[in-house]
Amino acid sequence: MAEPVYRRVVIKLSGEYLAGSQSFGIDRPTVDRIADELIAALELGTEVAVVVGGGNIVRGVEVSSRGMSRPTADTMGMLATMMNCLALEAAIEGKGTPARTLSAFVMPEISELFTRNATHKYLAEGRIVLLGGGTGNPFFTTDTTAVLRAAEIGAQAVLKATNVDGVYSADPRKDSSARRFDRLTHSQAIEGGYKVMDATAFALARETSLPIIVFSIAEPGSIGAILRGTGHGTVVAG
């Protein structure tokens, strides 16, 4: 078997995707499929850490737009990411692969606190590590969390799993003339205002020289294909 392109990655999953065809909540078949994809990635020989959004349960920005303070709304969103991590952890371990959820918050009855040392330890043991609670601070997205954690733990890339197969000049589902990019620099992604990740995440990736690979999680086997260097996606680097 060929060596994977990346030996350690952070995979960013959207919370909305975990809802499947539902508008809210956690869809068990979808979670099981994602668990299979993550296990397959691990079996390639890549150390896998995962950051999950919480939009299938609570989106802090939307809640704050209805009158709640942004810090409170964002904290609710961060707690939603913990629910998603625990659901994924249960699905992964139910398939016989060890996993561990680490939290940005102190919640000892539920999860161990995130530290670099703990993450390194569990990755070295062959566990899939799920990083919940966002950054632990309001006003930061889970996209930024994924880049931050990748920089902290020495990951070689951030794999951003979306509903489209890369970065486009506009939403391809709404604009048939949207142009797809095979490769962009971090600066081009920021200047172009492409919405696939927020500008703070791209800026932090530029500062830490982390490549971001944007690809479609809807395609079966897509995580493994990216790790083998045969996947279809947009590379944001340099």
Side-chain angles (χ1 to χ4, degrees):
M1 183 182 295
E3 289 290 307
V5 176
Y6 304 108
R7 302 299 303 183
R8 176 180 290 178
V9 296
V10 170
I11 298 171
K12 169 56 183 23
L13 297 170
S14 86
E16 286 93 337
Y17 192 79
L18 297 187
S21 59
Q22 308 170 92
S23 60
F24 173 85
I26 297 170
D27 179 60
R28 179 61 185 270
T30 300
V31 170
D32 280 341
R33 187 181 77 78
I34 296 298
D36 286 335
E37 295 258 354
L38 296 173
I39 292 167
L42 184 72
E43 290 174 345
L44 287 175
T46 298
E47 294 180 345
V48 177
V50 183
V51 170
V52 192
N56 55 321
I57 301 170
V58 174
R59 287 182 60 85
V61 172
E62 291 180 3
V63 173
S64 67
S65 71
R66 296 195 291 269
M68 184 176 290
S69 75
R70 179 68 183 273
T72 300
D74 281 358
T75 299
M76 292 169 63
M78 288 185 277
L79 290 172
T81 72
M82 285 298 299
M83 297 182 199
N84 285 336
C85 283
L86 293 172
L88 270 171
E89 179 187 67
I92 293 165
E93 295 216 314
K95 295 173 183 292
T97 298
R100 179 60 60 95
T101 296
L102 301 178
S103 170
F105 296 105
V106 177
M107 43 176 63
E109 293 83 5
I110 298 171
S111 169
E112 187 175 338
L113 183 68
F114 164 79
T115 65
R116 292 190 301 277
N117 285 344
T119 307
H120 291 154
K121 173 179 180 289
Y122 293 129
L123 290 174
E125 291 175 355
R127 294 178 185 261
I128 294 172
V129 179
L130 303 148
L131 303 172
T135 66
N137 299 285
F139 302 103
F140 292 96
T141 66
T142 47
D143 284 344
T144 299
T145 301
V147 178
L148 173 64
R149 295 295 187 238
E152 287 181 297
I153 68 172
Q156 295 173 310
V158 174
L159 276 53
K160 163 77 173 179
T162 72
N163 289 318
V164 292
D165 61 345
V167 180
Y168 284 77
S169 58
D171 188 339
R173 294 167 295 186
K174 299 177 181 177
D175 184 349
S176 60
S177 66
R179 182 165 64 98
R180 182 184 173 279
F181 302 101
D182 287 325
R183 191 174 185 93
L184 291 167
T185 66
H186 297 113
S187 294
Q188 286 170 332
I190 295 168
E191 291 159 9
Y194 306 124
K195 301 300 184 184
V196 70
M197 290 186 93
D198 64 87
T200 303
F202 281 132
L204 182 57
R206 178 176 61 185
E207 182 178 336
T208 54
S209 301
L210 266 168
I212 298 171
I213 298 90
V214 182
F215 68 101
S216 173
I217 190 62
E219 183 180 336
S222 56
I223 295 176
I226 294 294
L227 292 175
R228 289 191 299 272
T230 61
H232 187 62
T234 299
V235 177
V236 182

